[in-house]
Amino acid sequence: MGRSRRTLPEELLLLALDPATGTTAQPQSLDLGLAGAQLVELALAGRIAPDGDRIAVVAPRPTGDPTLDCALELLRRRGAPVRAVHWIGGPRLGLRQTYLSHLERCGMVHAVAGQMCGVLPTTRYQATDNEISREIRARLDSAIRTGVPPDPRTAALAALAHAVGLGKHLYPGNEGRSSRSRLRDLIRHDPMGGLVAHAVMDVQNGAVAQPRRGPASPGRPAGPGGRSAAEPARGVPMQPHRGSMARAVVH
């Protein structure tokens, strides 16, 4: 995969970044959204594909993006399709910081050091070029305003933005109610984006703890919650951010 365009996780993070404060909106659900955005990006690159409510690796060759390739390798190691809700609901230590650091290296944001309560070191991230965020936002606005079915990438971005609760950040107040509703409706224009967005919302609603029951595979006893005994209930941790105890990232 070339670097001629931004990936969905990068775009989702830039959408969530407040240009005035350097904080990210919806930080807890955003972590889930970034994990989901990785799945959509890998699907757009032809590396994975939906298999019912599961994700299957169909082409394990690297994309050229280290963070995406890490996720792809972890999916490949599963050896069998994994439920999207289990993958997204797994621990994702440092994923948001990984992407913030990546955006900083690319020159799209710069870190601003500060302190919380005058003691704890913190880092905020300011966009170096707000035109990038405005271009991403304009794509969503156009899809909402015109009603023309958007391209799969924009539809998936809209679905993820809705799933993590960015609608009230992008279109606040009563005047933004109709835009938030249309943002939600865009979820139907991309099957993979819709699958992942629903998985993100299911995780927030506690669906990981109570997965749907299904028949066990032949010769493979079912584990707790109807899972195959060989299928882990949670995702594999992504790259943890070193030194996270020494410096806090302000949300």
Tab-separated table of all heavy atoms in Angstrom, residues 32-66:
chain	number	residue	atom	x	y	z
A	32	LEU	N	-11.681	2.040	20.315
A	32	LEU	CA	-12.376	0.953	19.621
A	32	LEU	C	-12.515	1.272	18.137
A	32	LEU	O	-12.342	0.409	17.273
A	32	LEU	CB	-13.765	0.741	20.226
A	32	LEU	CG	-13.840	0.426	21.724
A	32	LEU	CD1	-15.301	0.353	22.172
A	32	LEU	CD2	-13.119	-0.875	22.039
A	33	GLY	N	-12.830	2.533	17.840
A	33	GLY	CA	-12.992	2.944	16.453
A	33	GLY	C	-11.723	2.804	15.647
A	33	GLY	O	-11.766	2.431	14.463
A	34	LEU	N	-10.574	3.085	16.272
A	34	LEU	CA	-9.302	2.952	15.557
A	34	LEU	C	-9.023	1.488	15.219
A	34	LEU	O	-8.537	1.177	14.129
A	34	LEU	CB	-8.165	3.529	16.399
A	34	LEU	CG	-8.173	5.060	16.553
A	34	LEU	CD1	-7.098	5.488	17.549
A	34	LEU	CD2	-7.962	5.748	15.220
A	35	ALA	N	-9.329	0.589	16.159
A	35	ALA	CA	-9.157	-0.838	15.880
A	35	ALA	C	-10.082	-1.266	14.745
A	35	ALA	O	-9.696	-2.047	13.864
A	35	ALA	CB	-9.436	-1.663	17.140
A	36	GLY	N	-11.315	-0.746	14.750
A	36	GLY	CA	-12.245	-1.055	13.674
A	36	GLY	C	-11.812	-0.459	12.353
A	36	GLY	O	-11.957	-1.086	11.299
A	37	ALA	N	-11.268	0.761	12.399
A	37	ALA	CA	-10.812	1.408	11.169
A	37	ALA	C	-9.669	0.634	10.531
A	37	ALA	O	-9.539	0.603	9.301
A	37	ALA	CB	-10.375	2.844	11.471
A	38	GLN	N	-8.839	0.000	11.342
A	38	GLN	CA	-7.777	-0.836	10.790
A	38	GLN	C	-8.370	-1.981	9.979
A	38	GLN	O	-7.872	-2.313	8.893
A	38	GLN	CB	-6.906	-1.403	11.914
A	38	GLN	CG	-5.983	-0.393	12.558
A	38	GLN	CD	-5.049	-1.054	13.547
A	38	GLN	OE1	-5.459	-1.907	14.347
A	38	GLN	NE2	-3.793	-0.682	13.507
A	39	LEU	N	-9.446	-2.584	10.498
A	39	LEU	CA	-10.078	-3.691	9.775
A	39	LEU	C	-10.619	-3.217	8.427
A	39	LEU	O	-10.444	-3.894	7.406
A	39	LEU	CB	-11.212	-4.286	10.617
A	39	LEU	CG	-10.820	-4.996	11.913
A	39	LEU	CD1	-12.063	-5.546	12.602
A	39	LEU	CD2	-9.819	-6.123	11.644
A	40	VAL	N	-11.282	-2.061	8.429
A	40	VAL	CA	-11.841	-1.551	7.166
A	40	VAL	C	-10.726	-1.244	6.171
A	40	VAL	O	-10.826	-1.563	4.984
A	40	VAL	CB	-12.699	-0.304	7.415
A	40	VAL	CG1	-13.253	0.219	6.091
A	40	VAL	CG2	-13.849	-0.610	8.369
A	41	GLU	N	-9.648	-0.634	6.657
A	41	GLU	CA	-8.531	-0.300	5.769
A	41	GLU	C	-7.915	-1.565	5.180
A	41	GLU	O	-7.583	-1.617	3.993
A	41	GLU	CB	-7.479	0.493	6.529
A	41	GLU	CG	-6.383	1.081	5.654
A	41	GLU	CD	-6.899	2.141	4.694
A	41	GLU	OE1	-7.639	3.041	5.140
A	41	GLU	OE2	-6.564	2.061	3.493
A	42	LEU	N	-7.777	-2.602	5.991
A	42	LEU	CA	-7.238	-3.864	5.491
A	42	LEU	C	-8.187	-4.500	4.472
A	42	LEU	O	-7.750	-5.121	3.505
A	42	LEU	CB	-6.987	-4.825	6.659
A	42	LEU	CG	-5.792	-4.485	7.549
A	42	LEU	CD1	-5.787	-5.367	8.804
A	42	LEU	CD2	-4.473	-4.658	6.793
A	43	ALA	N	-9.487	-4.334	4.691
A	43	ALA	CA	-10.456	-4.859	3.723
A	43	ALA	C	-10.376	-4.085	2.410
A	43	ALA	O	-10.420	-4.675	1.324
A	43	ALA	CB	-11.866	-4.779	4.308
A	44	LEU	N	-10.251	-2.760	2.490
A	44	LEU	CA	-10.125	-1.949	1.277
A	44	LEU	C	-8.852	-2.296	0.505
A	44	LEU	O	-8.809	-2.182	-0.722
A	44	LEU	CB	-10.114	-0.465	1.649
A	44	LEU	CG	-11.452	0.118	2.122
A	44	LEU	CD1	-11.258	1.530	2.659
A	44	LEU	CD2	-12.477	0.113	1.000
A	45	ALA	N	-7.823	-2.754	1.243
A	45	ALA	CA	-6.567	-3.147	0.611
A	45	ALA	C	-6.603	-4.588	0.105
A	45	ALA	O	-5.604	-5.083	-0.441
A	45	ALA	CB	-5.411	-2.981	1.601
A	46	GLY	N	-7.725	-5.276	0.299
A	46	GLY	CA	-7.864	-6.640	-0.191
A	46	GLY	C	-7.174	-7.687	0.657
A	46	GLY	O	-6.962	-8.819	0.196
A	47	ARG	N	-6.838	-7.362	1.895
A	47	ARG	CA	-6.136	-8.317	2.763
A	47	ARG	C	-7.072	-9.162	3.615
A	47	ARG	O	-6.748	-10.281	3.977
A	47	ARG	CB	-5.156	-7.596	3.691
A	47	ARG	CG	-4.091	-6.745	3.004
A	47	ARG	CD	-3.366	-7.495	1.889
A	47	ARG	NE	-2.135	-6.839	1.493
A	47	ARG	CZ	-2.030	-5.950	0.503
A	47	ARG	NH1	-3.116	-5.615	-0.197
A	47	ARG	NH2	-0.869	-5.405	0.197
A	48	ILE	N	-8.221	-8.624	3.976
A	48	ILE	CA	-9.199	-9.365	4.763
A	48	ILE	C	-10.571	-9.188	4.122
A	48	ILE	O	-10.766	-8.314	3.269
A	48	ILE	CB	-9.244	-8.910	6.234
A	48	ILE	CG1	-9.726	-7.449	6.329
A	48	ILE	CG2	-7.880	-9.064	6.898
A	48	ILE	CD1	-9.918	-6.974	7.767
A	49	ALA	N	-11.526	-10.026	4.532
A	49	ALA	CA	-12.884	-9.933	4.006
A	49	ALA	C	-13.845	-10.419	5.081
A	49	ALA	O	-13.485	-11.257	5.919
A	49	ALA	CB	-13.031	-10.778	2.740
A	50	PRO	N	-15.078	-9.893	5.069
A	50	PRO	CA	-16.056	-10.366	6.045
A	50	PRO	C	-16.488	-11.790	5.735
A	50	PRO	O	-16.599	-12.186	4.575
A	50	PRO	CB	-17.212	-9.375	5.896
A	50	PRO	CG	-17.076	-8.837	4.509
A	50	PRO	CD	-15.609	-8.826	4.209
A	51	ASP	N	-16.722	-12.559	6.793
A	51	ASP	CA	-17.222	-13.927	6.693
A	51	ASP	C	-18.360	-14.035	7.709
A	51	ASP	O	-18.153	-14.440	8.832
A	51	ASP	CB	-16.105	-14.924	6.998
A	51	ASP	CG	-16.557	-16.374	6.881
A	51	ASP	OD1	-17.711	-16.600	6.484
A	51	ASP	OD2	-15.760	-17.283	7.209
A	52	GLY	N	-19.558	-13.620	7.299
A	52	GLY	CA	-20.640	-13.473	8.265
A	52	GLY	C	-20.309	-12.313	9.191
A	52	GLY	O	-20.045	-11.199	8.745
A	53	ASP	N	-20.308	-12.583	10.506
A	53	ASP	CA	-19.924	-11.539	11.462
A	53	ASP	C	-18.458	-11.692	11.873
A	53	ASP	O	-18.019	-11.117	12.853
A	53	ASP	CB	-20.829	-11.570	12.703
A	53	ASP	CG	-20.664	-12.852	13.526
A	53	ASP	OD1	-20.045	-13.821	13.016
A	53	ASP	OD2	-21.148	-12.879	14.667
A	54	ARG	N	-17.725	-12.465	11.080
A	54	ARG	CA	-16.312	-12.693	11.364
A	54	ARG	C	-15.431	-12.054	10.292
A	54	ARG	O	-15.901	-11.649	9.237
A	54	ARG	CB	-16.019	-14.191	11.460
A	54	ARG	CG	-16.750	-14.859	12.616
A	54	ARG	CD	-16.613	-16.370	12.612
A	54	ARG	NE	-17.386	-16.955	13.689
A	54	ARG	CZ	-16.871	-17.306	14.866
A	54	ARG	NH1	-15.577	-17.177	15.083
A	54	ARG	NH2	-17.644	-17.796	15.816
A	55	ILE	N	-14.149	-11.994	10.594
A	55	ILE	CA	-13.162	-11.418	9.696
A	55	ILE	C	-12.179	-12.502	9.295
A	55	ILE	O	-11.595	-13.170	10.155
A	55	ILE	CB	-12.402	-10.258	10.374
A	55	ILE	CG1	-13.383	-9.193	10.861
A	55	ILE	CG2	-11.367	-9.674	9.435
A	55	ILE	CD1	-14.177	-8.531	9.773
A	56	ALA	N	-11.985	-12.685	8.002
A	56	ALA	CA	-11.074	-13.708	7.490
A	56	ALA	C	-9.941	-13.057	6.713
A	56	ALA	O	-10.163	-12.123	5.939
A	56	ALA	CB	-11.825	-14.693	6.591
A	57	VAL	N	-8.728	-13.551	6.912
A	57	VAL	CA	-7.583	-13.092	6.141
A	57	VAL	C	-7.606	-13.803	4.794
A	57	VAL	O	-7.645	-15.026	4.725
A	57	VAL	CB	-6.255	-13.387	6.882
A	57	VAL	CG1	-5.058	-13.010	6.008
A	57	VAL	CG2	-6.201	-12.628	8.208
A	58	VAL	N	-7.583	-13.034	3.717
A	58	VAL	CA	-7.631	-13.620	2.378
A	58	VAL	C	-6.328	-13.401	1.609
A	58	VAL	O	-6.077	-14.086	0.613
A	58	VAL	CB	-8.810	-13.048	1.562
A	58	VAL	CG1	-10.133	-13.450	2.191
A	58	VAL	CG2	-8.729	-11.523	1.451
A	59	ALA	N	-5.500	-12.457	2.051
A	59	ALA	CA	-4.211	-12.186	1.401
A	59	ALA	C	-3.262	-11.650	2.467
A	59	ALA	O	-3.298	-10.463	2.790
A	59	ALA	CB	-4.366	-11.185	0.263
A	60	PRO	N	-2.420	-12.513	3.037
A	60	PRO	CA	-1.596	-12.099	4.172
A	60	PRO	C	-0.369	-11.265	3.828
A	60	PRO	O	0.401	-10.919	4.719
A	60	PRO	CB	-1.177	-13.435	4.793
A	60	PRO	CG	-1.169	-14.393	3.644
A	60	PRO	CD	-2.288	-13.956	2.739
A	61	ARG	N	-0.174	-10.922	2.557
A	61	ARG	CA	1.024	-10.151	2.208
A	61	ARG	C	0.970	-8.760	2.838
A	61	ARG	O	-0.103	-8.165	2.948
A	61	ARG	CB	1.174	-10.050	0.690
A	61	ARG	CG	0.119	-9.245	-0.010
A	61	ARG	CD	0.304	-9.269	-1.524
A	61	ARG	NE	-0.678	-8.432	-2.217
A	61	ARG	CZ	-1.918	-8.793	-2.468
A	61	ARG	NH1	-2.327	-10.012	-2.094
A	61	ARG	NH2	-2.753	-7.967	-3.089
A	62	PRO	N	2.102	-8.212	3.250
A	62	PRO	CA	2.143	-6.911	3.926
A	62	PRO	C	1.596	-5.785	3.051
A	62	PRO	O	1.653	-5.841	1.821
A	62	PRO	CB	3.634	-6.703	4.223
A	62	PRO	CG	4.220	-8.073	4.211
A	62	PRO	CD	3.447	-8.830	3.172
A	63	THR	N	1.089	-4.763	3.721
A	63	THR	CA	0.571	-3.587	3.025
A	63	THR	C	1.634	-2.515	2.866
A	63	THR	O	1.482	-1.606	2.047
A	63	THR	CB	-0.602	-2.965	3.800
A	63	THR	OG1	-0.117	-2.440	5.046
A	63	THR	CG2	-1.687	-3.995	4.068
A	64	GLY	N	2.678	-2.582	3.679
A	64	GLY	CA	3.685	-1.524	3.688
A	64	GLY	C	3.474	-0.519	4.804
A	64	GLY	O	4.336	0.320	5.057
A	65	ASP	N	2.341	-0.605	5.493
A	65	ASP	CA	2.057	0.241	6.650
A	65	ASP	C	2.330	-0.593	7.901
A	65	ASP	O	1.631	-1.575	8.155
A	65	ASP	CB	0.597	0.699	6.617
A	65	ASP	CG	0.238	1.606	7.779
A	65	ASP	OD1	0.331	1.157	8.945
A	65	ASP	OD2	-0.137	2.763	7.530
A	66	PRO	N	3.334	-0.231	8.715
A	66	PRO	CA	3.735	-1.082	9.846
A	66	PRO	C	2.611	-1.370	10.834
A	66	PRO	O	2.486	-2.507	11.322
A	66	PRO	CB	4.861	-0.277	10.509
A	66	PRO	CG	5.405	0.586	9.424
A	66	PRO	CD	4.222	0.943	8.574
